[in-house]
Amino acid sequence: IPKIPYKEQDAYSITGWFKSQLRLEADLQKAGRQVLFSDKGGHLVLGLEKNQLVLELNNGSETAEASASDEIAYDTVTGGEVRPAWNHFAIIKDGGAFKVYLNGSEVISMELPDTELSGTLCVGARQVEGGKANYFNGLVDEIHFYSAALEKSSVQDLYEALPLNKGSETNVALN
């Protein structure tokens, strides 16, 4: 995404859906960190490691990292096979405070003042000098940017909205 719409904003939200293509939990455990998206400067990186979202922040002089308290969702399909389901995420920045939601629940809360997005935003990989790395082995869909810090109820509404709730058993077209 060439122009980050909220690069210098004090508050913003980024939401979307993701689904890993790694089918077995053991495959996710071996895969290492996969990046859902990052900015060019590495100031904000959202990744997936061992079934958990990981948020990395860097303000130029300090780096912070936190892992989610909950694991991603799985579905059991016909024949009993277990596969990663569609999962909803939201990153909320309000001043120096960051929150990450997974499927409507807050799973990460951390602070790192003076953290701003820089350069372009890369979906599905980490931007590094000379290219990209830590590719996400899966699908990322419906990324939305908001120029305000969404409230918890708004994040939950986005997760539960139909037809966007990709985890809904009644909405088989999206599974």
Side-chain angles (χ1 to χ4, degrees):
I1 302 172
K3 292 184 180 180
I4 298 174
Y6 307 115
K7 180 177 173 180
E8 297 174 6
Q9 296 243 355
D10 194 44
Y12 59 81
S13 302
I14 304 170
T15 68
W17 292 88
F18 70 94
K19 182 177 184 177
S20 175
Q21 293 298 96
L22 299 175
R23 298 196 181 245
L24 302 174
E25 189 170 332
D27 291 338
L28 277 168
Q29 297 288 335
K30 291 186 283 185
R33 184 163 302 165
Q34 301 176 62
V35 173
L36 294 169
F37 67 86
S38 68
D39 72 326
K40 187 173 184 177
H43 297 101
L44 176 75
V45 179
L46 182 66
L48 177 64
E49 185 170 21
K50 297 182 180 177
N51 303 332
Q52 294 177 310
L53 289 178
V54 178
L55 180 65
E56 301 172 39
L57 301 174
N58 182 331
N59 65 8
S61 60
E62 196 177 348
T63 301
E65 180 178 302
S67 295
S69 55
D70 294 341
E71 294 187 350
I72 64 172
Y74 286 84
D75 284 332
T76 302
V77 296
T78 305
E81 183 180 355
V82 177
R83 297 181 183 173
W86 279 102
N87 289 268
H88 184 263
F89 72 88
I91 298 174
I92 313 300
K93 178 186 188 262
D94 193 0
F98 289 83
K99 292 182 181 182
V100 176
Y101 290 82
L102 175 63
N103 298 327
S105 299
E106 183 181 324
V107 294
I108 296 174
S109 180
M110 61 192 292
E111 288 196 34
L112 190 60
D114 303 320
T115 304
E116 293 184 6
L117 297 175
S118 66
T120 58
L121 189 64
C122 181
V123 176
R126 177 190 304 267
Q127 296 186 71
V128 295
E129 194 66 40
K132 296 176 180 58
N134 303 106
Y135 288 96
F136 179 63
N137 186 356
L139 306 169
V140 181
D141 197 12
E142 298 180 26
I143 302 261
H144 295 271
F145 296 88
Y146 300 89
S147 61
L150 295 176
E151 297 293 326
K152 180 178 183 174
S153 61
S154 296
V155 172
Q156 291 170 333
D157 288 347
L158 288 170
Y159 167 62
E160 294 170 358
L162 290 176
L164 302 179
N165 187 344
K166 296 176 186 292
S168 172
E169 292 179 29
T170 59
N171 197 346
V172 294
L174 295 174
N175 283 327

